[in-house]
Amino acid sequence: DVKVTQSSRYLVKRTGEKVFLECVQDMDHENMFWYRQDPGLGLRLIYFSYDVKMKEKGDIPEGYSVSREKKERFSLILESASTNQTSMYLCASSSGQFNQPQHFGDGTRLSIL
Amino acid sequence: DQQVKQNSPSLSVQEGRISILNCDYTNSMFDYFLWYKKYPAEGPTFLISISSIKDKNEDGRFTVFLNKSAKHLSLHIVPSQPGDSAVYFCAASGRGSNYKLTFGKGTLLTVNP
């Protein structure tokens, strides 16, 4: 069965901190994605990766960076956390084959104080 | 510019009746469409998808219809059950999108016993 695991369900950090969100998938998927979900805005893509060490910006990359050193792991980094980055963060993965769904983790509720 | 639109923020139906969730898109390059269900504090769960070469796809109680000329798709749930109460997201991707999905803002479905 498909499994995407996010390291924390809830996280509280302070303004200015460097924050790491980790995601691991066990399906040997080529593609991995980071989204944030905010009320009334749906899911917005932050960054994605289609191979190890490869990354592309999504729709809202400002204030974020990512790292993919191994195929199964994709990290989202908030370089200097700000209160407007308080949100639900969702990681997803998908096969590199055409027309395949993305599978999501359970999300990390991040609060920046 | 919102390329995938779910114009109904919420929908309420009686248990046992049909639920119809609607989605419109503007990008004619989209050729793969998906529906996800999301419970609070969980990640989205893939429900059903349809390729643009088809106009209908069925999986148990869930059927997705695609009208390419109208750039419209709908999800039918028959019969609706209280456990179907969740937020439903429509998503789309197309050639050249590099596996990225574009999501609508979601529709909250409430199924009343």
Side-chain angles (χ1 to χ4, degrees), chain A residues 40-52:
Chain A
L41 296 178
L43 276 71
R44 294 181 292 166
L45 181 65
I46 304 171
Y47 265 98
F48 74 103
S49 169
Y50 50 90
D51 202 350
V52 175

Side-chain angles (χ1 to χ4, degrees), chain A residues 6-113:
Chain A
Q6 295 184 228
S7 54
S8 304
R9 292 298 302 272
Y10 301 93
L11 207 52
V12 180
K13 297 290 182 181
R14 298 215 170 268
T15 302
E17 280 192 71
K18 191 168 186 176
V19 181
F20 294 85
L21 301 183
E22 307 287 343
C23 175
V24 177
Q25 51 95 2
D26 66 358
M27 291 85 67
D28 201 36
H29 281 169
E30 287 79 8
N31 305 317
M32 296 188 75
F33 307 83
W34 275 107
Y35 295 87
R36 61 179 283 177
Q37 183 196 4
D38 300 288
L41 296 178
L43 276 71
R44 294 181 292 166
L45 181 65
I46 304 171
Y47 265 98
F48 74 103
S49 169
Y50 50 90
D51 202 350
V52 175
K53 297 190 186 294
M54 304 303 289
K55 61 184 179 184
E56 278 198 28
K57 293 179 180 179
D59 300 318
I60 51 164
E62 296 78 20
Y64 303 95
S65 63
V66 290
S67 173
R68 193 166 181 202
E69 297 296 318
K70 293 185 178 181
K71 189 176 185 180
E72 67 271 18
R73 186 179 297 270
F74 193 35
S75 303
L76 179 69
I77 304 154
L78 284 67
E79 298 290 344
S80 178
S82 63
T83 55
N84 62 12
Q85 292 178 309
T86 291
S87 186
M88 168 71 89
Y89 289 87
L90 293 159
C91 175
S93 72
S94 71
S95 160
Q97 295 180 358
F98 190 60
N99 282 356
Q100 294 297 310
Q102 292 179 18
H103 299 276
F104 286 81
D106 280 337
T108 296
R109 173 68 66 183
L110 175 64
S111 296
I112 307 296
L113 306 178

